[in-house]
mmCIF file of all heavy atoms in Angstrom:
data_model
loop_
_atom_site.group_PDB
_atom_site.id
_atom_site.type_symbol
_atom_site.label_atom_id
_atom_site.label_comp_id
_atom_site.label_asym_id
_atom_site.label_seq_id
_atom_site.Cartn_x
_atom_site.Cartn_y
_atom_site.Cartn_z
ATOM 1 N N ASP A 448 -6.276 23.663 -30.066
ATOM 2 C CA ASP A 448 -7.393 23.982 -29.182
ATOM 3 C C ASP A 448 -8.537 24.683 -29.904
ATOM 4 O O ASP A 448 -9.708 24.489 -29.567
ATOM 5 C CB ASP A 448 -6.894 24.878 -28.059
ATOM 6 C CG ASP A 448 -5.991 24.175 -27.097
ATOM 7 O OD1 ASP A 448 -6.027 22.926 -27.075
ATOM 8 O OD2 ASP A 448 -5.284 24.867 -26.330
ATOM 9 N N SER A 449 -8.254 25.433 -30.959
ATOM 10 C CA SER A 449 -9.308 26.102 -31.721
ATOM 11 C C SER A 449 -10.090 25.115 -32.595
ATOM 12 O O SER A 449 -11.236 25.337 -32.873
ATOM 13 C CB SER A 449 -8.724 27.232 -32.576
ATOM 14 O OG SER A 449 -7.905 26.698 -33.584
ATOM 15 N N LEU A 450 -9.471 24.038 -32.994
ATOM 16 C CA LEU A 450 -10.138 23.059 -33.816
ATOM 17 C C LEU A 450 -11.045 22.127 -33.049
ATOM 18 O O LEU A 450 -12.031 21.602 -33.575
ATOM 19 C CB LEU A 450 -9.107 22.190 -34.608
ATOM 20 C CG LEU A 450 -8.310 22.976 -35.638
ATOM 21 C CD1 LEU A 450 -7.287 21.986 -36.260
ATOM 22 C CD2 LEU A 450 -9.217 23.539 -36.730
ATOM 23 N N GLN A 451 -10.744 21.888 -31.774
ATOM 24 C CA GLN A 451 -11.511 20.973 -30.968
ATOM 25 C C GLN A 451 -12.783 21.649 -30.486
ATOM 26 O O GLN A 451 -12.756 22.785 -30.037
ATOM 27 C CB GLN A 451 -10.719 20.461 -29.788
ATOM 28 C CG GLN A 451 -9.590 19.524 -30.142
ATOM 29 C CD GLN A 451 -8.825 19.094 -28.930
ATOM 30 O OE1 GLN A 451 -9.027 19.645 -27.833
ATOM 31 N NE2 GLN A 451 -7.992 18.116 -29.101
ATOM 32 N N THR A 452 -13.905 20.949 -30.590
ATOM 33 C CA THR A 452 -15.127 21.410 -30.034
ATOM 34 C C THR A 452 -15.239 20.968 -28.606
ATOM 35 O O THR A 452 -14.863 19.823 -28.296
ATOM 36 C CB THR A 452 -16.330 20.949 -30.815
ATOM 37 O OG1 THR A 452 -16.320 19.514 -30.832
ATOM 38 C CG2 THR A 452 -16.251 21.445 -32.260
ATOM 39 N N PRO A 453 -15.753 21.764 -27.705
ATOM 40 C CA PRO A 453 -15.861 21.319 -26.341
ATOM 41 C C PRO A 453 -16.913 20.238 -26.239
ATOM 42 O O PRO A 453 -18.002 20.332 -26.779
ATOM 43 C CB PRO A 453 -16.316 22.579 -25.567
ATOM 44 C CG PRO A 453 -16.803 23.501 -26.591
ATOM 45 C CD PRO A 453 -16.152 23.143 -27.928
ATOM 46 N N ARG A 454 -16.546 19.189 -25.619
ATOM 47 C CA ARG A 454 -17.482 18.041 -25.464
ATOM 48 C C ARG A 454 -17.882 17.885 -24.004
ATOM 49 O O ARG A 454 -17.083 18.176 -23.101
ATOM 50 C CB ARG A 454 -16.912 16.786 -26.046
ATOM 51 C CG ARG A 454 -15.548 16.436 -25.448
ATOM 52 C CD ARG A 454 -14.991 15.231 -26.028
ATOM 53 N NE ARG A 454 -13.653 15.123 -25.439
ATOM 54 C CZ ARG A 454 -12.712 14.248 -25.803
ATOM 55 N NH1 ARG A 454 -12.973 13.407 -26.754
ATOM 56 N NH2 ARG A 454 -11.571 14.237 -25.204
ATOM 57 N N ARG A 455 -19.093 17.395 -23.799
ATOM 58 C CA ARG A 455 -19.581 17.229 -22.441
ATOM 59 C C ARG A 455 -19.093 15.937 -21.888
ATOM 60 O O ARG A 455 -19.217 14.866 -22.465
ATOM 61 C CB ARG A 455 -21.101 17.245 -22.503
ATOM 62 C CG ARG A 455 -21.735 17.222 -21.180
ATOM 63 C CD ARG A 455 -23.208 17.572 -21.281
ATOM 64 N NE ARG A 455 -23.901 17.327 -20.064
ATOM 65 C CZ ARG A 455 -24.023 18.221 -19.101
ATOM 66 N NH1 ARG A 455 -23.400 19.365 -19.262
ATOM 67 N NH2 ARG A 455 -24.686 17.966 -17.987
ATOM 68 N N ARG A 456 -18.509 15.985 -20.725
ATOM 69 C CA ARG A 456 -18.012 14.819 -20.038
ATOM 70 C C ARG A 456 -19.129 14.232 -19.178
ATOM 71 O O ARG A 456 -19.823 14.935 -18.528
ATOM 72 C CB ARG A 456 -16.830 15.096 -19.149
ATOM 73 C CG ARG A 456 -15.604 15.531 -19.937
ATOM 74 C CD ARG A 456 -14.451 15.707 -18.972
ATOM 75 N NE ARG A 456 -13.214 16.059 -19.688
ATOM 76 C CZ ARG A 456 -12.104 16.237 -19.165
ATOM 77 N NH1 ARG A 456 -11.950 16.179 -17.853
ATOM 78 N NH2 ARG A 456 -11.014 16.538 -19.874
ATOM 79 N N SER A 457 -19.185 12.938 -19.268
ATOM 80 C CA SER A 457 -20.185 12.260 -18.383
ATOM 81 C C SER A 457 -19.668 12.155 -16.952
ATOM 82 O O SER A 457 -18.435 12.026 -16.724
ATOM 83 C CB SER A 457 -20.545 10.881 -18.958
ATOM 84 O OG SER A 457 -19.436 10.029 -18.859
ATOM 85 N N ARG A 458 -20.579 12.196 -16.029
ATOM 86 C CA ARG A 458 -20.177 12.120 -14.590
ATOM 87 C C ARG A 458 -19.994 10.672 -14.156
ATOM 88 O O ARG A 458 -19.553 10.409 -13.029
ATOM 89 C CB ARG A 458 -21.264 12.751 -13.754
ATOM 90 C CG ARG A 458 -21.354 14.251 -13.992
ATOM 91 C CD ARG A 458 -20.363 14.966 -13.174
ATOM 92 N NE ARG A 458 -20.421 16.393 -13.475
ATOM 93 C CZ ARG A 458 -19.826 17.265 -12.697
ATOM 94 N NH1 ARG A 458 -19.191 16.901 -11.669
ATOM 95 N NH2 ARG A 458 -19.886 18.521 -12.999
ATOM 96 N N VAL A 459 -20.418 9.681 -14.934
ATOM 97 C CA VAL A 459 -20.347 8.298 -14.558
ATOM 98 C C VAL A 459 -18.988 7.735 -14.998
ATOM 99 O O VAL A 459 -18.607 7.868 -16.185
ATOM 100 C CB VAL A 459 -21.522 7.517 -15.251
ATOM 101 C CG1 VAL A 459 -21.414 6.021 -14.853
ATOM 102 C CG2 VAL A 459 -22.845 8.121 -14.840
ATOM 103 N N HIS A 460 -18.362 7.061 -14.102
ATOM 104 C CA HIS A 460 -17.046 6.446 -14.396
ATOM 105 C C HIS A 460 -17.297 5.287 -15.427
ATOM 106 O O HIS A 460 -18.288 4.540 -15.235
ATOM 107 C CB HIS A 460 -16.424 5.889 -13.125
ATOM 108 C CG HIS A 460 -15.028 5.488 -13.305
ATOM 109 N ND1 HIS A 460 -14.645 4.289 -13.751
ATOM 110 C CD2 HIS A 460 -13.876 6.215 -13.088
ATOM 111 C CE1 HIS A 460 -13.342 4.221 -13.811
ATOM 112 N NE2 HIS A 460 -12.810 5.389 -13.455
ATOM 113 N N PRO A 461 -16.443 5.095 -16.364
ATOM 114 C CA PRO A 461 -16.694 4.035 -17.366
ATOM 115 C C PRO A 461 -16.697 2.653 -16.843
ATOM 116 O O PRO A 461 -17.331 1.752 -17.408
ATOM 117 C CB PRO A 461 -15.548 4.240 -18.367
ATOM 118 C CG PRO A 461 -14.593 5.133 -17.790
ATOM 119 C CD PRO A 461 -15.276 5.879 -16.668
ATOM 120 N N GLU A 462 -16.019 2.457 -15.696
ATOM 121 C CA GLU A 462 -16.002 1.063 -15.117
ATOM 122 C C GLU A 462 -17.014 0.921 -14.019
ATOM 123 O O GLU A 462 -17.035 -0.117 -13.292
ATOM 124 C CB GLU A 462 -14.601 0.805 -14.599
ATOM 125 C CG GLU A 462 -13.581 0.676 -15.735
ATOM 126 C CD GLU A 462 -12.177 0.429 -15.195
ATOM 127 O OE1 GLU A 462 -12.030 0.297 -13.950
ATOM 128 O OE2 GLU A 462 -11.248 0.341 -15.961
#
Side-chain angles (χ1 to χ4, degrees):
D448 290 343
S449 67
L450 294 177
Q451 289 179 349
T452 58
R454 53 183 176 187
R455 185 167 171 85
R456 292 186 178 180
S457 66
R458 296 275 178 167
V459 179
H460 193 274
E462 295 179 1

